[in-house]
Every structure is written in C-alpha cells, then in structure tokens.
C-alpha cells in the first residue's frame, strides 16, 4: 500500500484530481477501449470533483470515452430524489463534464428486485473488463462504500443494513434528521472493490484518524474494512495531517521516506 501524506484537505483534493486526470490521459481511452472509473459520493470527494471539473473546463481532460460506476445508493430512494446518490453524482460532477449519460451507472435504490439489480451491476462492471481506477472515501468506523464493520472481505454487491453511526454522519444531508436517513443501502462489495486495477482512498479530518491508523498499522480485520487495502497490489491512501494524528511518528516518517524513494524510480 502506498500512503501519501499531505497538509490539508485542499491539498488532498488537488493531488487526487491531478492523479485521476493523469491516469485517464495516460490510458488514451477510445470508444473501443474506454477507461472505467469508480467514484464515491458524500462530502469527502466534493473538492476533488470541483478540481477535476476545472481541469475539464480548461481542456485538460475529456470524459467522452470514460465509463463511470458509483459505489452505492440508498435503498428506497428513486433516482429523482434529490437526496439520492444518483442525484448527488449528477449534480456535483456528471452534469459538468462531457461524459455521455449512457456511460454512467448508478445502482437503482428503488428496485423491486434487489438480487437481480445487484447481480446485473456486477455483470456490467465485468463486461467492461473491471474498474481501472476506483476512488473512495472512508467512514470514521473504517467502512468503504457501505461495507459496514463486520462485512465479509469476500462480499459482492448487495443490500446492507446501515449502522447508527453511519446514519448519524449522513444525516447532514437529511436536514440533520437521522430518522429521515434510510436504514439500508445497495453497495458494491469488498471483493468487487478489490478487483479494481487500482484503488485510491481519501481520508481527511480528525474523525478519520482511527480508521487511518487501522488501515496502516492494524491487521486485516473485517471490523475495519479499510484494512482490505493491505490485500491490494496497487492501493493508495491519501491523507491530510489531521487524519494521521493516531499514527506513530516512525510510521509517518517511514512512508514519507518511501515516497521520496518512489519519486527517484523511473519505469
């Protein structure tokens, strides 16, 4: 696992945005060979999206041959619901770039057939050869997407019961009313996530410090699903200073030294 330590949330957003744009451009996507991008929702990626949109507006990146899969969706909310993740990703990102609307896939939270919806989502990802780059945030309890503590590390796209902690955190999008936050969500699984060719997880803020500690210094543990990054051959954890407060000083120095050495390697 590669770990990037940066000073602020703004620096993290800039770094991730530039990395995403660089990876897509280096891939040279075409209509026959599109770049497949996995994206999160929520507060964490919002400045990253703003930075990417700015780069798109300055003609540094096109999404014409990019396929996007989002990671999760509240169960019971239609795509027209302004609090749905379908609405979020379109309002905050999709509507500002040149991606064809048919290239954007979001789980249908209003489905009447959960099992089939989840199965088809998995099959659609596989039909494109898998996700080339998946971006994600992390919950304060270490969850990735909506894979709450205790989720199987071999899990696939499915419906999950949301913890009270997650619902409290997400209540900010529901007028701070936890009773309005859905109790269930559809989410890609940990195994689905780990099949991505490359993964970037963004961790910012003091409330993510314990999760960052578990990811870097802890052992692989289904109670901290972020630790699954240790199983992936090409995962990157990008942190601001506040999110590193629970780490040992020698841990930070070790990864900082590794990053300096990485910059001297030419492939």
């Amino acid at each position: 696992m590669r770990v990037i330590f940066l000073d602020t949330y703004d620096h993290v957003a800039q770094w991730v945005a530039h990395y995403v744009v660089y990876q897509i451009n280096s891939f040279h996507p075409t209509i026959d060979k599109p770049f497949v991008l996995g994206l999160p929702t929520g507060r964490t990626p919002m400045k990253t999206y703003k930075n990417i949109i700015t780069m798109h507006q300055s003609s540094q990146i096109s999404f014409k041959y990019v396929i996007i899969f989002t990671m999760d969706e509240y169960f019971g909310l239609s795509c027209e619901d302004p609090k749905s993740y379908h609405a979020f990703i379109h309002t905050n990102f999709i509507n500002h770039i040149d991606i064809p609307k048919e290239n954007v896939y979001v789980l249908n939270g209003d489905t009447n057939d959960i099992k089939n919806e989840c199965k088809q989502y998995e099959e659609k990802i596989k039909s494109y050869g898998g996700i080339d780059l998946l971006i994600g945030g992390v919950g304060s309890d270490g969850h990735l997407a909506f894979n709450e503590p205790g989720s199987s590390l071999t899990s696939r796209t499915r419906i999950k019961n949301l913890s009270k902690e997650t619902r409290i955190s997400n209540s900010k999008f529901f007028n701070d009313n936890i009773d309005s936050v859905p109790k269930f969500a559809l989410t890609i699984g940990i195994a689905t996530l780990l099949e991505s060719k490359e993964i970037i997880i963004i961790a910012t803020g003091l409330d993510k410090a314990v999760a960052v500690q578990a990811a870097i210094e802890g052992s692989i543990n289904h109670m901290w699903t972020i630790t699954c990054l240790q199983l992936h051959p090409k995962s990157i954890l990008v942190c601001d200073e506040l999110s590193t407060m629970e780490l040992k000083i020698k841990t930070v120095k070790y990864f900082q030294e590794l990053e300096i050495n990485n910059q001297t390697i030419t492939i």
Side-chain angles (χ1 to χ4, degrees):
M1 179 171 57
R2 181 182 176 190
V3 183
I4 307 294
F5 294 118
L6 300 169
D7 292 334
T8 67
Y9 171 48
D10 286 343
H11 292 143
V12 169
Q14 291 168 8
W15 192 97
V16 175
H18 280 82
Y19 191 89
V20 170
V21 169
Y22 174 81
Q23 291 298 89
I24 294 174
N25 286 337
S26 298
F27 189 87
H28 302 295
T30 65
I31 190 170
D32 296 320
K33 190 187 71 170
F35 187 92
V36 184
L37 184 64
L39 292 180
T41 50
R43 289 166 294 167
T44 299
M46 289 186 70
K47 282 194 175 181
T48 296
Y49 290 155
K50 289 179 180 179
N51 285 328
I52 295 175
I53 291 166
T54 298
M55 296 175 78
H56 167 67
Q57 292 171 341
S58 61
S59 301
Q60 297 180 58
I61 180 69
S62 171
F63 290 86
K64 188 176 181 180
Y65 301 123
V66 172
I67 305 294
I68 287 177
F69 287 93
T70 59
M71 300 172 71
D72 40 36
E73 178 60 283
Y74 289 115
F75 180 65
L77 297 190
S78 71
C79 62
E80 289 83 16
D81 192 308
K83 294 180 176 61
S84 70
Y85 283 155
H86 183 282
F88 176 96
I89 198 68
H90 281 79
T91 300
N92 291 284
F93 190 56
I94 301 303
N95 293 345
H96 305 281
I97 59 176
D98 62 340
I99 188 168
K101 293 297 187 287
E102 62 269 21
N103 285 10
V104 180
Y105 295 94
V106 182
L107 282 158
N108 177 16
D110 203 29
T111 181
N112 292 319
D113 190 340
I114 298 171
K115 184 176 181 180
N116 187 58
E117 173 66 19
C118 295
K119 179 183 177 183
Q120 288 188 348
Y121 207 70
E122 288 274 343
E123 291 175 349
K124 182 60 69 173
I125 292 173
K126 290 178 181 178
S127 74
Y128 285 107
I131 295 172
D132 293 301
L133 174 61
L134 184 139
I135 313 299
V138 58
S140 58
D141 58 6
H143 73 257
L144 299 181
F146 275 133
N147 293 283
E148 301 280 44
S151 294
S152 169
L153 300 185
T154 62
S155 57
R156 292 289 178 180
T157 302
R158 68 214 186 282
I159 190 168
K160 281 292 293 181
N161 190 337
L162 302 183
S163 70
K164 185 175 181 179
E165 183 175 351
T166 294
R167 294 176 65 232
I168 290 173
S169 177
N170 291 0
S171 66
K172 296 178 178 65
F173 295 102
F174 292 81
N175 300 316
D176 292 316
N177 182 6
I178 186 175
D179 293 330
S180 298
V181 183
K183 295 182 178 181
F184 297 90
L186 305 183
T187 180
I188 66 169
I190 293 298
T192 314
L193 184 148
L194 288 175
E195 286 180 351
S196 303
K197 298 177 181 69
E198 186 170 11
I199 300 171
I200 294 179
I201 298 300
I202 304 169
T204 56
L206 189 60
D207 62 326
K208 306 299 175 66
V210 177
V212 167
Q213 181 190 41
I216 299 173
E217 296 179 344
S219 57
I220 298 170
N221 186 339
H222 72 161
M223 294 304 293
W224 293 88
T225 54
I226 191 174
T227 60
C228 75
L229 296 181
Q230 298 174 30
L231 296 168
H232 197 276
K234 200 171 184 181
S235 62
I236 305 175
L237 180 59
V238 189
C239 312
D240 69 355
E241 185 176 13
L242 287 174
S243 70
T244 67
M245 289 301 177
E246 295 292 335
L247 292 175
K248 298 181 180 69
I249 293 176
K250 67 178 182 180
T251 299
V252 175
K253 288 185 175 180
Y254 171 75
F255 280 99
Q256 287 175 330
E257 181 180 347
L258 287 182
E259 193 56 29
I260 292 172
N261 292 339
N262 284 338
Q263 294 172 7
T264 67
I265 298 175
T266 56
I267 300 177

